[in-house]
Amino acid sequence: MYNNQPAVIVAFLEQDNLGVGYLASMLMHKQQPVKIIDFRSGKKHIHNSLLSCQPKIVGFSIIFQYHIYAFKELIDYLREQGITCHFTAGGHYPSLRYQETFDIIDQLDSIVLFEGEHTFSELVKTVNTNKDWKQIQGIAYRENNTAKRTDLRPLEADLDTFPPPARQPLKEYALSKKYATLLAGRGCYYNCSFCSIRKFYSKPPGPVKRLRRPEMVVREMELLHQQRDCSVFMFQDDDFPVTADKGSWISSFCSLLHEKELSDEIVWKINCRADEVSYTSFKAMKDAGLFLVYLGIESGTEDGLRLMNKRLTPTDNLNAIETLKKLGISYDYGFMLFEPSSTLDTVNDNLDFLETICSDGSSPITFCKMLPYAETRIEKQLQEQGRLKGDVGFLDYDFLDSGLNRLCPFLIECFRPWISSHNGLLNLARWARYNILIADKFHADDIDTAQWGQQVNNLVAESNAYFIDTAKRATRSIDRNIDREDENRQLAAMKHDVEKHHDAWQEEFLDLMDIMQNRKEPELTI
């Protein structure tokens, strides 16, 4: 046993945090008690928890760089309240920018770099036994106000040697069906200019992409289904191994799901690229339980996709979506309406693309602005162009087209409740669709999902059309170079209209969700 005092991990637990789950299971596998605290529980609760369990080490999971100052505030508070134990941190941003992380959070003792299962467990043991932890592979620390790091630890070649991740009690996904997140592999072969995943897995020695064995993934799903009554599985792989080993991985995976008689008992969701979607393979996947696909579409223009280094064309994206529609597989997607080279013309082109794929209500419209994440090619390009602005950890940029410097913040602010809030239209539309998908899989004999589906589809199509029209009108207002006061009046009127429509559609979706949750028959609308 390492120590009777638990190691503590502070992390966001809104969804299954698989990274923290793997760290915790590794510690428990070595007989080290561990306590996981939700960052959202607040400074006082976290402080009282640390006073109660008196750990010798606390790890902070800083997954997103835009949370770094929130973690700084917490860590400074804990130190001010007299917590003197070893503080370490991990995650993408601390690993890629450990010097900046120490500059911002100067109360950290160490940073666990990159993949943390072996490094964190060794650090916990070393700190607990009062030995020299600065010799451990794969950590950074400060000495005489200078950041130093040890040799990077090689990535674990066999992911199946890790024990299954520790999990919080499973939550409901829809209609009383529980869900769990899991991984089929780690890393990504591709190198999109806006993404740091490739860089994160390229820095340490080892293969940039590693896969678990399909039989081990299916075994984890089988145990979760049998022991935790889990029916919905959400794969968190950045790029699910659809085409790995020339398709043999996914073929084995689907065969095993049928062999274990799971295909009729569960559903699963994946993330993948558009050029990996083929009718034959995805039909086999649907027959084995695939019900939802997240596509990183990102742009509807050739120039945009080229800037992003997606190695895709708009036609690839359209073909993938058309294939999923033919198969009856639902899809969500990522889309960057705004990126560093955007112009008013490309925004219009992208709105046309969104209209093409979403006018039928097959998926609710969403969008975002590309951000310059640490160690990405986009960040480097913007830095070379002298366009980066803002504080470390919160870097941003202006557009070369001055009109976009008004349009982008307007659309983001105007549709923030729609896209970003918990009860916003995007979340409600997705939630409604997911309920229908679950009902169709597990309650098809006693629920008429066709009527539900038609109502949701109509609402999504109607709100999508309104979004496109509003965004295009805002673009035209700015493009006309009218008097700024007139422009501001027009935009303010649009924002008020968006709020009114959002509230009305929100109410309709909530009413429909109440009907679904209570298994009532919906009222037909003409």
Side-chain angles (χ1 to χ4, degrees):
M1 180 178 291
Y2 280 16
N3 193 293
N4 286 325
Q5 295 164 290
V8 171
I9 303 174
V10 179
F12 280 95
L13 300 179
E14 187 171 4
Q15 295 183 355
D16 275 354
N17 189 321
L18 282 179
V20 166
Y22 273 108
L23 293 178
S25 68
M26 194 72 167
L27 291 173
M28 292 187 289
H29 183 69
K30 296 177 181 292
Q31 307 301 308
Q32 167 63 51
V34 60
K35 180 179 179 67
I36 302 174
I37 304 175
D38 193 341
F39 177 88
R40 299 169 303 157
S41 63
K43 296 185 293 187
K44 290 184 179 180
H45 173 81
I46 295 171
H47 174 239
N48 289 335
S49 297
L50 297 184
L51 288 177
S52 175
C53 62
Q54 292 291 308
K56 296 189 73 172
I57 182 169
V58 179
F60 298 89
S61 174
I62 308 176
I63 300 177
F64 304 112
Q65 70 184 64
Y66 293 94
H67 291 153
I68 192 164
Y69 286 98
F71 275 93
K72 171 183 170 55
E73 182 181 345
L74 169 62
I75 290 168
D76 286 348
Y77 171 81
L78 294 175
R79 289 297 196 212
E80 289 166 4
Q81 297 302 311
I83 304 297
T84 60
C85 66
H86 188 107
F87 282 176
T88 190
H92 281 71
Y93 186 76
S95 295
L96 293 168
R97 294 281 173 81
Y98 60 86
Q99 173 69 72
E100 289 180 1
T101 303
F102 280 130
D103 289 342
I104 296 170
I105 311 177
D106 59 3
Q107 295 300 317
L108 286 174
D109 296 292
S110 67
I111 291 173
V112 173
L113 300 172
F114 304 103
E115 197 167 75
E117 284 84 355
H118 293 304
T119 303
F120 185 59
S121 62
E122 185 177 347
L123 179 62
V124 169
K125 180 178 181 180
T126 306
V127 168
N128 280 339
T129 53
N130 299 312
K131 294 182 179 179
D132 183 10
W133 51 267
K134 293 181 179 180
Q135 304 304 312
I136 295 172
Q137 263 190 315
I139 64 162
Y141 59 92
R142 289 215 298 185
E143 195 169 84
N144 299 324
N145 293 321
T146 301
K148 297 184 176 181
R149 74 161 175 84
T150 60
D151 292 339
L152 295 180
R153 188 184 297 268
L155 298 170
E156 173 56 59
D158 185 359
L159 295 175
D160 288 317
T161 62
F162 293 145
R167 298 180 182 275
Q168 303 291 315
L170 299 186
K171 297 177 182 178
E172 179 183 351
Y173 184 78
L175 300 178
S176 301
K177 296 298 180 180
K178 298 176 184 176
Y179 79 95
T181 58
L182 72 167
L183 289 170
R186 292 182 183 178
C188 182
Y189 288 124
Y190 298 94
N191 195 19
C192 298
S193 64
F194 56 87
C195 180
S196 62
I197 298 296
R198 173 74 179 243
K199 182 71 72 172
F200 182 84
Y201 287 108
S202 295
K203 290 272 189 180
V208 72
K209 175 84 172 181
R210 293 153 296 153
L211 297 178
R212 298 175 61 195
R213 292 184 289 280
E215 59 269 25
M216 296 298 289
V217 179
V218 171
R219 179 57 176 160
E220 182 178 359
M221 297 168 76
E222 183 180 34
L223 290 174
L224 285 167
H225 181 62
Q226 293 173 347
Q227 299 174 1
R228 300 274 198 115
D229 192 28
C230 183
S231 303
V232 183
F233 295 89
M234 314 292 283
F235 282 96
Q236 300 296 293
D237 304 53
D238 298 292
D239 183 28
F240 191 77
V242 175
T243 59
D245 300 325
K246 298 181 179 180
S248 64
W249 193 99
I250 194 65
S251 178
S252 297
F253 176 74
C254 291
S255 295
L256 285 164
L257 290 175
H258 288 297
E259 181 183 313
K260 298 290 185 179
E261 298 184 345
L262 288 172
S263 55
D264 292 332
E265 303 295 325
I266 66 168
V267 291
W268 41 285
K269 167 256 181 186
I270 66 168
N271 311 317
C272 73
R273 288 170 53 87
D275 57 357
E276 295 170 334
V277 177
S278 73
Y279 187 91
T280 302
S281 62
F282 274 70
K283 183 180 186 306
M285 292 160 69
K286 181 185 180 183
D287 292 342
L290 177 68
F291 81 115
L292 180 63
V293 175
Y294 179 90
L295 291 172
I297 293 173
E298 313 308 354
S299 178
T301 71
E302 294 275 3
D303 289 343
L305 292 169
R306 191 177 303 112
L307 173 88
M308 298 173 187
N309 197 38
K310 287 291 292 184
R311 293 158 61 180
L312 292 169
T313 67
T315 300
D316 292 327
N317 286 329
L318 291 172
N319 288 342
I321 292 169
E322 186 62 29
T323 297
L324 294 176
K325 289 179 179 180
K326 285 180 180 177
L327 287 167
I329 300 173
S330 288
Y331 70 95
D332 291 325
Y333 61 92
F335 199 83
M336 299 182 191
L337 185 60
F338 300 98
E339 39 84 359
S341 68
S342 290
T343 65
L344 291 169
D345 286 339
T346 64
V347 169
N348 268 315
D349 291 341
N350 273 315
L351 290 171
D352 288 340
F353 180 89
L354 287 175
E355 188 172 25
T356 298
I357 65 173
C358 295
S359 61
D360 60 356
S362 56
S363 190
I365 280 181
T366 185
F367 76 98
C368 68
K369 177 185 180 181
M370 181 191 291
L371 294 175
Y373 289 110
E375 294 297 311
T376 60
R377 189 182 308 179
I378 284 296
E379 183 200 45
K380 184 178 180 181
Q381 289 175 359
L382 290 170
Q383 188 173 40
E384 290 172 349
Q385 296 168 7
R387 294 174 60 188
L388 284 180
K389 66 176 189 177
D391 296 328
V392 173
F394 282 83
L395 295 176
D396 202 348
Y397 57 91
D398 286 328
F399 298 98
L400 299 177
D401 187 326
S402 61
L404 287 186
N405 292 320
R406 304 195 302 280
L407 179 64
C408 178
F410 168 74
L411 287 181
I412 288 175
E413 182 60 29
C414 186
F415 287 96
R416 188 183 305 280
W418 185 311
I419 289 176
S420 301
S421 69
H422 178 71
N423 273 337
L425 210 55
L426 176 64
N427 264 356
L428 290 176
R430 287 178 172 173
W431 187 28
R433 290 165 61 238
Y434 300 161
N435 271 267
I436 291 167
L437 294 172
I438 296 304
D440 199 45
K441 173 75 174 187
F442 298 106
H443 303 287
D445 292 338
D446 55 275
I447 297 178
D448 182 6
T449 57
Q451 290 187 48
W452 282 2
Q454 189 59 55
Q455 287 211 26
V456 170
N457 202 80
N458 290 343
L459 284 174
V460 173
E462 185 181 351
S463 58
N464 283 351
Y466 175 81
F467 173 92
I468 294 294
D469 179 67
T470 302
K472 286 187 173 183
R473 285 192 293 117
T475 305
R476 287 195 298 271
S477 293
I478 289 173
D479 195 25
R480 283 203 303 265
N481 291 317
I482 59 175
D483 177 78
R484 191 61 59 84
E485 287 189 9
D486 288 341
E487 178 186 296
N488 289 339
R489 277 194 294 271
Q490 289 184 19
L491 296 180
M494 286 183 207
K495 187 173 187 296
H496 177 72
D497 195 61
V498 168
E499 291 170 355
K500 182 177 67 174
H501 278 80
H502 177 270
D503 291 347
W505 279 316
Q506 182 185 54
E507 186 174 344
E508 286 193 67
F509 269 113
L510 287 172
D511 287 345
L512 186 57
M513 290 303 301
D514 181 62
I515 293 172
M516 290 184 190
Q517 293 294 316
N518 291 289
R519 312 282 181 85
K520 303 172 187 174
E521 290 300 321
E523 296 180 5
L524 288 176
T525 56
I526 305 300

